[in-house]
Amino acid sequence: MSQRKESYRAALQRGQDVAAPRSTKVTTLQSRYLRVTVEVDPDLRGDLTRWVAWPVSSVVAAGTTVLRTLAATVGMVSRRGG
């Protein structure tokens, strides 16, 4: 337990590794009882774009199909009723 605690403290005090050339965006949230450090990888935006691109394009295609169907249905109803 003590060794794990010491390695944890050492990791918190350690500066940025030389092996990691890209910079990370670091935000520290601190209160009286809690301290949280969040590091965001700069490549995260590209990863999110790759992960989200297919589901978003699928939702857009489905929405377009639904709207076209609704527009066609409303057009047919208004022509009959008008």
Side-chain angles (χ1 to χ4, degrees):
M1 180 74 157
S2 179
Q3 182 182 3
R4 184 171 26 161
K5 187 187 287 186
E6 290 302 318
S7 60
Y8 177 73
R9 285 186 182 152
L12 286 177
Q13 293 175 355
R14 189 180 317 138
Q16 200 172 25
D17 287 351
V18 178
R22 53 186 188 191
S23 65
T24 56
K25 189 167 189 164
V26 178
T27 302
T28 303
L29 307 171
Q30 189 168 354
S31 71
R32 183 175 175 185
Y33 300 105
L34 182 66
R35 179 177 162 189
V36 178
T37 301
V38 178
E39 295 184 33
V40 179
D41 186 3
D43 293 335
L44 181 64
R45 181 178 293 170
D47 291 342
L48 285 176
T49 302
R50 280 194 301 272
W51 295 336
V52 173
W54 185 80
V56 168
S57 64
S58 298
V59 168
V60 168
T64 302
T65 303
V66 167
L67 288 176
R68 284 183 183 159
T69 305
L70 282 173
T73 304
V74 168
M76 287 191 318
V77 169
S78 65
R79 276 183 259 153
R80 280 192 215 160

